[in-house]
Amino acid sequence: MQSWRPVRRVAELLSLGHFARAMEIVRYPLLAAGIGFILYGLWGFVRSLRRYRVCEGVIVGYEQHQENSLFAPRIEFTGPDGIVHTFLSQLYGSQEIPVGGRVRIRYSPAQPDRAEVARFSALWLFPLVWLAFGIGFLLVSILTPRQDRLSGDF
């Protein structure tokens, strides 16, 4: 019966409330991380809404990913100053749109070579992920049962 000793010990620790004590200790770091993630997600939303211009670009080719069969479009667009810019999208996928097809793009006037296709995943996915993590951490830290006092036998 030697193999069951660790399982029994874990069951004893959980029944004695050690898990609740551990959660009480990590409550405040989780709260701080949750607030930080929420603020970072909100900053991402604000950043996606500001500083960018929208225009139409033309797909001039595709480049295949080195490790798999996904493709990234190479897109060309003309800025308001009349200069033609070309960039390689960071969004890999299938070749949905043929070469010569038009797509909406977003770019920063300060860095037009770092433009991106105006898709939901490129603009909102990461801020939403950060917000979800933040809300999750916040809920865990708030909903954890409070201990009156932490014992010294932890």
Side-chain angles (χ1 to χ4, degrees):
M1 284 284 188
Q2 189 71 6
S3 64
W4 287 99
R5 283 186 73 119
V7 174
R8 281 193 185 144
R9 181 67 181 142
V10 169
E12 288 173 5
L13 288 174
L14 291 177
S15 68
L16 294 174
H18 283 73
F19 180 74
R21 291 184 189 130
M23 288 306 294
E24 181 66 27
I25 290 171
V26 299
R27 170 191 303 272
Y28 297 109
L30 284 176
L31 181 67
I35 291 171
F37 286 154
I38 288 173
L39 291 175
Y40 190 69
L42 291 174
W43 177 73
F45 278 124
V46 170
R47 204 180 74 167
S48 291
L49 293 174
R50 299 177 16 178
R51 297 192 291 163
Y52 291 97
R53 293 190 179 157
V54 178
C55 73
E56 212 169 69
V58 177
I59 297 178
V60 294
Y62 283 93
E63 287 193 20
Q64 186 172 1
H65 193 274
Q66 295 173 350
E67 298 174 6
N68 52 43
S69 61
L70 298 175
F71 297 88
R74 181 165 295 284
I75 301 171
E76 191 174 86
F77 70 97
T78 304
D81 54 1
I83 298 175
V84 176
H85 301 278
T86 304
F87 71 96
L88 181 65
S89 175
Q90 298 300 309
L91 299 175
Y92 283 85
S94 63
Q95 296 177 345
E96 304 168 357
I97 304 169
V99 173
R102 297 192 165 291
V103 291
R104 284 187 48 181
I105 63 163
R106 290 175 60 116
Y107 70 96
S108 168
Q111 297 175 318
D113 295 331
R114 294 189 62 194
E116 192 52 77
V117 178
R119 289 187 179 170
F120 175 82
S121 58
L123 301 174
W124 307 112
L125 183 63
F126 286 114
L128 282 174
V129 168
W130 287 113
L131 279 176
F133 273 117
I135 290 170
F137 278 37
L138 202 62
L139 287 175
V140 167
S141 69
I142 291 172
L143 298 177
T144 300
R146 294 188 59 83
Q147 296 291 313
D148 292 335
R149 59 189 160 93
L150 295 175
S151 72
D153 63 330
F154 191 5

